[in-house]
């Protein structure tokens, strides 16, 4: 059973394999990371871990039973109980509810572990699958997202308010 795990150094080879294996698939709906991303992957991965250690971001990977990465689910720019959500799932599991389940799990973790009360996410107008995942996950459209927000594309910003866990316990969203 796949499990959402917080990113750590041991995930680097599986994350790189995930990104390489799905590069063309991702580039069909979101801007390509570019060759520089892959040639400097180790450096960039270390920078992500440093951001996470500083509490600015929280990165998660959906790990399959065999150790491969099925998806990445991220909280970025965590500040004042607000964060931006980002995610991507492998082509081989797309259309199976993996993204929706991962986003739901990340919403819970955002509230419980990271103190986030408001999540924002942007999706390009042409990225029908991402827009559907956000709506199924309880996000509501709140306004236009411009090319600067979406790597040159137009789209929509979405927002979801999270429920704080009860004092001394864990709670849902």
């Amino acid at each position: 059973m796949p499990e959402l795990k917080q990113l750590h150094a041991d995930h680097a080879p599986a994350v790189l394999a995930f990104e390489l294996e799905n590069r063309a698939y991702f580039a069909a709906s979101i801007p390509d990371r570019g060759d520089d991303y892959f040639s400097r992957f180790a450096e960039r991965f270390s920078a992500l871990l440093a951001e996470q250690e500083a509490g600015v971001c929280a990165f998660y990977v959906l790990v399959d039973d065999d150790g491969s990465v099925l998806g990445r689910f991220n909280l970025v720019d965590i500040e004042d109980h607000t964060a931006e959500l980002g995610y991507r799932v492998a082509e081989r599991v797309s259309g199976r509810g993996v993204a929706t389940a991962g986003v739901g799990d990340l919403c819970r973790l955002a509230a419980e572990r990271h103190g986030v009360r408001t999540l924002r996410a942007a999706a390009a107008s042409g990225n029908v699958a991402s827009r559907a995942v956000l709506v199924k996950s309880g996000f509501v459209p709140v306004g236009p997202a411009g090319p600067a927000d979406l790597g040159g594309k137009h789209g929509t910003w979405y927002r979801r308010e999270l429920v704080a866990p009860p004092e001394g316990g864990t709670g849902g969203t």
Side-chain angles (χ1 to χ4, degrees):
M1 180 63 96
E3 182 180 353
L4 196 62
K5 297 180 178 183
Q6 193 155 14
L7 189 69
H8 61 74
D10 293 345
H11 289 130
V15 170
L16 178 57
F18 166 82
E19 292 291 346
L20 285 168
E21 181 180 306
N22 293 284
R23 184 176 183 182
Y25 172 66
F26 295 146
S29 59
I30 57 177
D32 184 59
R33 293 191 185 274
D35 293 337
D36 187 55
Y37 174 84
F38 297 99
S39 66
R40 299 179 61 202
F41 180 80
E43 178 183 330
R44 296 177 70 93
F45 193 84
S46 292
L48 292 178
L49 293 175
E51 285 183 271
Q52 182 169 263
E53 183 67 28
V56 178
C57 300
F59 303 106
Y60 289 84
V61 287
L62 183 64
V63 181
D64 204 357
D65 295 336
D66 65 2
S68 66
V69 171
L70 298 176
R72 296 180 68 182
F73 298 85
N74 305 318
L75 300 171
V76 296
D77 299 332
I78 301 171
E79 185 178 357
D80 295 327
H81 304 290
T82 302
E84 189 173 320
L85 169 95
Y87 58 92
R88 53 179 53 202
V89 298
E91 182 175 20
R92 68 184 169 109
V93 297
S94 69
R96 296 188 194 167
V98 171
T100 302
V103 167
D105 287 348
L106 188 60
C107 288
R108 179 183 50 78
L109 292 168
E112 291 176 2
R113 290 188 186 170
H114 306 287
V116 173
R117 300 292 168 256
T118 302
L119 279 174
R120 294 174 12 113
S125 298
N127 194 339
V128 176
S130 270
R131 292 182 14 233
V133 165
L134 291 171
V135 170
K136 286 180 193 175
S137 299
F139 285 78
V140 295
V142 293
D149 302 314
L150 291 166
K153 298 183 180 188
H154 290 276
T156 303
W157 277 106
Y158 293 81
R159 181 176 168 146
R160 178 175 170 182
E161 299 298 327
L162 304 178
V163 176
E167 274 308 304
T170 59
T173 54

